[in-house]
């Protein structure tokens, strides 16, 4: 086992492996939302099973409180939490919950009823808890590293929706005229999602932590006072021994507490919260229930969900072009608040517009969701020591 001290960090050259790490971050992002996106994207199947229970709206309402509540508790105790165990616990819970959704569907033979619906809601809550563990832990972990890693992770989150939407189109084409076509498609969805979650456990536990560039950034974070990376470094065969690094914090001479950090970044925190308030006010419940009947028929909600997910994915790469990246705190907040104009726009379009305008609005919703999320999460950690990034 290698022992390093604070004196080892000066002038070290960044090792190779950046693109391998970016690829792994993308897959981990994919696994962080693929299960939840599977549940959302087969909404037409759940509306067939549970027509009276508004599954798209209810499952989202069940998922979000557990995700937000768990994330707040984890954020409050961030400095005391083993990030490696947090992320592994999250991916394991995703794997177990996704597998149980598959088992529930097979056990009930794709039949509805209040019992299976309650079971589905419980598993949606588990997805929310797992999401809080994984997304918060991974974003905090990758904030120690270069911006391209967190951008790749966030792109992976969006890619999960695009992948599932593509699969939904293919399964609808393949099974539309077959007996129990929706049921077969749902089984395929969750079987693939279960495999992806298992792959994420293996990648994070064994491969990612041993990449040279990842070890470099985690070592650097440990030497700057971070305690959350010690388990990952130990798994890579490295022990750290830090000494006083006074004067290296660009913003504060000592570690700020959570309240101080929150107040300094209140606009970023509020902005990130408002991005998803606006998005979830429309997606996916409104798109399934309030868009009327159009020429596309049963394909209409599938096309809307697919357009949102694909454009959301594309938009997360826009900030890679430096002159297209929005960095002004005031401009970011104005852009985020202006998205609430989309809510009346959607209701007006659903009542008076045709399907072309609705597809355009849905695409713009995905564009602003992905773009603004990446801008906020890549800009917020700037200027802080690695021990504060998480």
């Amino acid at each position: 086992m290698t022992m390093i001290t604070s004196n080892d960090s000066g002038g070290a050259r960044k090792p190779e492996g950046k693109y391998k790490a970016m690829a792994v971050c993308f897959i981990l992002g994919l696994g962080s939302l693929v299960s939840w996106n599977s549940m959302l994207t087969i909404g037409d199947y759940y509306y067939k099973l549970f027509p009276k229970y508004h599954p798209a709206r209810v499952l989202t309402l069940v998922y979000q409180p557990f995700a937000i509540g768990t994330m707040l508790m984890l954020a409050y105790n961030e400095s005391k939490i083993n990030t490696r165990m947090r992320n592994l616990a999250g991916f394991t819970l995703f794997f177990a919950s996704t597998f149980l959704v598959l088992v529930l569907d097979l056990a009930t033979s794709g039949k509805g009823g209040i019992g299976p619906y309650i079971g589905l809601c419980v598993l949606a809550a588990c997805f929310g808890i797992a999401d809080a563990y994984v997304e918060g832990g991974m974003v905090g972990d990758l904030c120690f590293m270069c911006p391209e890693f967190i951008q790749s992770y966030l792109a992976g989150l969006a890619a999960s929706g695009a992948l599932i939407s593509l699969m939904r189109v293919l399964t609808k084409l393949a099974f539309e005229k077959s007996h129990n076509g929706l049921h077969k498609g749902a089984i395929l969805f969750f079987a693939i999602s279960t495999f992806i979650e298992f792959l994420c456990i293996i990648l994070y536990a064994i491969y990612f932590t041993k990449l040279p560039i990842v070890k470099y950034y985690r070592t650097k974070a440990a030497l700057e006072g971070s305690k959350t990376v010690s388990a990952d470094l130990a798994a890579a065969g490295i022990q750290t021994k830090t000494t006083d690094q006074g004067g290296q914090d660009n913003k504060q001479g000592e570690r700020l507490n959570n309240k101080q950090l929150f107040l300094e970044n209140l606009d970023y925190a509020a902005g990130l919260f408002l991005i998803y308030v606006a998005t979830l006010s429309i997606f996916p419940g409104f798109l399934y229930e309030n868009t009327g009947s159009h020429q596309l028929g049963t394909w209409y909600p599938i096309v809307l969900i697919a357009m949102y997910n694909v454009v959301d994915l594309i938009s997360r790469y826009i900030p890679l072009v430096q002159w297209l990246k929005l960095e002004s705190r005031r401009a970011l907040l104005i852009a985020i608040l202006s998205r609430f104009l989309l809510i009346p726009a959607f209701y007006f379009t659903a009542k008076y517009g045709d399907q072309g305008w609705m597809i355009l609005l849905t695409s713009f919703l995905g564009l602003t969701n992905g773009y603004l999320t990446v801008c906020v999460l890549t800009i917020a950690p700037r200027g802080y020591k690695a021990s504060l990034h998480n």
Side-chain angles (χ1 to χ4, degrees), residues 77-92:
N77 296 290
E78 168 271 327
S79 62
K80 304 174 185 177
I81 294 175
N82 182 324
T83 302
R84 177 177 174 82
M85 295 308 299
R86 169 180 174 168
N87 290 334
L88 286 175
F91 281 122
T92 303

Side-chain angles (χ1 to χ4, degrees), residues 35-281:
S35 298
W36 174 237
N37 275 321
S38 294
M39 187 173 281
L40 293 182
T41 306
I42 58 172
D44 52 343
Y45 171 60
Y46 288 134
Y47 273 94
K48 180 182 177 181
L49 293 185
F50 315 111
K52 298 180 181 180
Y53 301 138
H54 307 283
R57 294 183 185 274
V58 172
L59 291 175
T60 303
L61 289 174
V62 170
Y63 173 92
Q64 286 303 323
F66 281 93
I68 294 172
T70 304
M71 193 171 290
L72 288 174
M73 289 188 290
L74 291 170
Y76 181 78
N77 296 290
E78 168 271 327
S79 62
K80 304 174 185 177
I81 294 175
N82 182 324
T83 302
R84 177 177 174 82
M85 295 308 299
R86 169 180 174 168
N87 290 334
L88 286 175
F91 281 122
T92 303
L93 182 57
F94 264 134
F95 169 75
S97 301
T98 308
F99 181 70
L100 287 175
V101 172
L102 182 61
V103 170
L104 177 66
D105 200 57
L106 290 171
T108 59
S109 301
K111 296 179 181 178
I114 189 64
Y117 188 64
I118 292 173
L120 194 65
C121 289
V122 170
L123 292 171
C126 291
F127 283 164
I129 295 170
D131 182 33
Y133 269 81
V134 171
E135 279 200 58
M138 284 301 304
V139 169
D141 196 14
L142 298 177
C143 280
F144 297 143
M145 307 178 197
C146 60
E148 289 84 354
F149 289 2
I150 193 169
Q151 186 277 331
S152 295
Y153 176 77
L154 295 175
L157 294 178
S160 66
L163 172 65
I164 293 301
S165 293
L166 175 62
M167 287 172 52
R168 184 68 193 95
V169 171
L170 294 176
T171 54
K172 186 170 178 62
L173 287 171
F175 300 130
E176 188 172 21
K177 296 181 180 179
S178 67
H179 179 64
N180 284 334
L182 287 174
H183 184 220
K184 294 174 183 176
I187 291 173
L188 180 62
F189 269 57
F190 284 107
I192 292 174
S193 297
T194 301
F195 170 75
I196 291 174
E197 299 299 354
F198 180 74
L199 178 63
C200 287
I201 295 172
I202 301 300
L203 282 175
Y204 185 81
I206 299 173
Y207 184 74
F208 184 66
T209 195
K210 294 183 179 179
L211 288 173
I213 194 167
V214 174
K215 290 193 285 186
Y216 166 82
Y217 279 115
R218 283 176 171 163
T219 299
K220 185 173 180 289
L223 296 175
E224 292 180 3
S226 175
K227 299 178 181 178
T228 61
V229 296
S230 56
D232 288 296
L233 288 172
I238 298 173
Q239 280 188 337
T240 59
K241 183 178 180 181
T242 61
T243 58
D244 186 17
Q245 300 265 332
Q248 289 191 10
D249 192 343
N250 295 331
K251 289 191 176 180
Q252 299 288 340
E254 57 184 17
R255 194 187 198 282
L256 303 177
N257 60 40
N258 288 342
K259 181 179 179 181
Q260 291 170 316
L261 281 172
F262 178 75
L263 292 175
E264 282 193 7
N265 296 279
L266 183 60
D267 54 336
Y268 288 135
L272 199 60
F273 175 74
L274 293 174
I275 287 171
Y276 288 97
V277 168
T279 298
L280 293 171
S281 298

